[in-house]
Amino acid sequence: MHSMTCRTEGIQSTAPVRWRSFESMCTVYWEAQGRAGATGYYRSPDPRVMLFFNDVSDSILFAGQNGAPRTEWRPMLRALYVPSGLPMWTSFRTPHRFSHLDLHIDAHWLRERIAPMLGDETARAALRQPAEVQDVGALAALAQTLADEIDRPSRAPAFAESLAVALVTGLVAPKPDADETAGAQGGLSAWQMRRLRGFLAKRGGRASNAELAREVGLSEGWFSHAFKRTTGKTPLQWQQEQRISAVKECLLHEDLTIAEIALRFEFSDQGHLTRVFRRHAGITPSAWRREARAR
């Protein structure tokens, strides 16, 4: 059995908890719901994995420090690896129903199985660091198979244990793609950049650094540093490029006047849009539209 300390308020199970204990780990499957304002505190002496079977990033925030400023709370992602002894506080922004798999794993047993694949030094370092992933991909299939093994075992216990090792490895092993490892290297991760693009696409106009930082769960100061490291640009420069790209789409596919487009994308007037557009594209919006439609 696991020995995690857990205190919650406003969160309740919606189905009987399913669990199964193995020699070196305990697996628990939860179905639950939390009301807006619900809170939780969790700390375990064992490393653990949480994988949500539905997206919770818009509803649940978490932090690693009690009383952390709201700017340091960030969205809960689909899958997390939590090292031994690391505390976690959660807070619900909106009511939400969810289901997730919890794995509580013996630290020595886990390191012995991951070290041959990653190398002992890399494995030790990886297992000391928290990891979080939004795009779970194949990890969700591993987690679902492991959840099925809880009360409908299909093979020997070693099968479930190997699934757990694969799940942890998928979360903590260094990734070859620089975009995905950017967060660990002081920049923004791929999911954070995707979230920013989606946020700006819905918003239409310009957002402040504070708004962008809040969207990806970072403090404003750290966000500015991480953003410049990732893109080589300031958030203002990058937003301007995104807005000009959106203006080009509008020029190409819609019949609005330049003044109407300036208003849609929150430029102060047609002249302002023309100056910014010329700086980026080398020609005026009207000239760009004529050339683009003639191709």
Side-chain angles (χ1 to χ4, degrees), residues 8-15 30-40 42 52 54-56 58-61 90-100:
T8 64
E9 183 177 341
I11 303 173
Q12 62 182 20
S13 297
T14 57
W30 294 90
E31 294 178 75
Q33 63 184 8
R35 57 171 171 77
T39 58
Y42 313 87
F52 289 88
N54 57 319
D55 185 21
V56 297
D58 287 334
S59 299
I60 307 177
L61 301 175
T90 62
S91 176
F92 281 66
R93 290 194 288 194
T94 61
H96 198 69
R97 293 176 68 94
F98 58 93
S99 61
H100 67 83

Side-chain angles (χ1 to χ4, degrees), residues 221-234:
W222 177 249
F223 169 78
S224 297
H225 165 81
F227 191 93
K228 185 71 179 288
R229 188 179 181 92
T230 303
T231 65
K233 305 177 180 69
T234 67

Side-chain angles (χ1 to χ4, degrees), residues 157-172:
F159 174 62
E161 292 174 341
S162 68
L163 291 172
V165 171
L167 195 52
V168 174
T169 304
L171 282 168
V172 307

Side-chain angles (χ1 to χ4, degrees), residues 71-72 208-211 213-214 218-226 235:
T71 54
E72 295 182 12
S208 68
N209 282 8
E211 289 173 311
R214 189 161 54 247
L218 297 175
S219 67
E220 186 174 348
W222 177 249
F223 169 78
S224 297
H225 165 81

Side-chain angles (χ1 to χ4, degrees), residues 27-75:
T27 60
V28 188
Y29 178 81
W30 294 90
E31 294 178 75
Q33 63 184 8
R35 57 171 171 77
T39 58
Y41 165 74
Y42 313 87
R43 184 170 188 167
S44 174
D46 305 307
R48 61 192 186 95
V49 169
M50 298 172 62
L51 189 141
F52 289 88
F53 292 101
N54 57 319
D55 185 21
V56 297
S57 61
D58 287 334
S59 299
I60 307 177
L61 301 175
F62 78 102
Q65 180 181 347
N66 191 19
R70 297 306 291 182
T71 54
E72 295 182 12
W73 289 69
R74 56 189 188 275

Side-chain angles (χ1 to χ4, degrees), residues 36-290:
T39 58
Y41 165 74
Y42 313 87
R43 184 170 188 167
S44 174
D46 305 307
R48 61 192 186 95
V49 169
M50 298 172 62
L51 189 141
F52 289 88
F53 292 101
N54 57 319
D55 185 21
V56 297
S57 61
D58 287 334
S59 299
I60 307 177
L61 301 175
F62 78 102
Q65 180 181 347
N66 191 19
R70 297 306 291 182
T71 54
E72 295 182 12
W73 289 69
R74 56 189 188 275
M76 180 79 79
L77 302 191
R78 289 280 304 276
L80 297 90
Y81 167 76
V82 185
S84 306
L86 188 71
M88 179 188 296
W89 284 262
T90 62
S91 176
F92 281 66
R93 290 194 288 194
T94 61
H96 198 69
R97 293 176 68 94
F98 58 93
S99 61
H100 67 83
L101 182 71
D102 274 357
L103 304 182
H104 304 263
I105 310 172
D106 178 80
H108 180 70
W109 179 88
L110 181 60
R111 189 171 65 248
E112 279 190 339
R113 278 146 186 82
I114 289 184
M117 294 181 284
L118 304 183
D120 188 63
E121 185 174 341
T122 300
R124 287 176 182 270
L127 294 174
R128 285 196 297 266
Q129 298 297 320
E132 50 194 275
V133 173
Q134 176 68 1
D135 299 324
V136 290
L139 298 181
L142 289 173
Q144 185 59 64
T145 303
L146 189 47
D148 293 341
E149 287 293 306
I150 291 177
D151 51 9
R152 296 190 302 276
S154 63
R155 290 171 175 80
F159 174 62
E161 292 174 341
S162 68
L163 291 172
V165 171
L167 195 52
V168 174
T169 304
L171 282 168
V172 307
K175 300 176 182 64
D177 188 281
D179 191 31
E180 292 295 336
T181 56
Q185 297 167 355
L188 298 177
S189 64
W191 78 263
Q192 288 172 315
M193 291 301 299
R194 284 194 294 272
R195 194 176 184 96
L196 290 176
R197 291 187 185 97
F199 173 68
L200 288 179
K202 281 191 266 185
R203 182 186 178 88
R206 194 171 70 190
S208 68
N209 282 8
E211 289 173 311
L212 295 174
R214 189 161 54 247
E215 187 65 20
V216 292
L218 297 175
S219 67
E220 186 174 348
W222 177 249
F223 169 78
S224 297
H225 165 81
F227 191 93
K228 185 71 179 288
R229 188 179 181 92
T230 303
T231 65
K233 305 177 180 69
T234 67
L236 179 59
Q237 291 169 334
W238 180 80
Q239 283 191 78
Q240 206 162 75
E241 289 183 359
Q242 297 295 306
R243 291 168 77 200
I244 293 300
S245 294
V247 166
K248 287 179 177 178
E249 285 293 310
C250 191
L251 288 167
L252 186 59
H253 299 294
E254 299 189 42
D255 292 323
L256 298 176
T257 67
I258 305 302
E260 289 171 330
I261 294 173
L263 181 64
R264 172 183 288 190
F265 291 99
E266 297 186 9
F267 290 91
S268 57
D269 53 31
Q270 179 175 335
H272 181 210
L273 170 58
T274 299
R275 288 192 299 274
V276 174
F277 192 95
R278 191 198 296 271
R279 191 160 60 243
H280 282 268
I283 56 177
T284 67
S286 297
W288 188 93
R289 172 185 267 169
R290 285 194 300 273

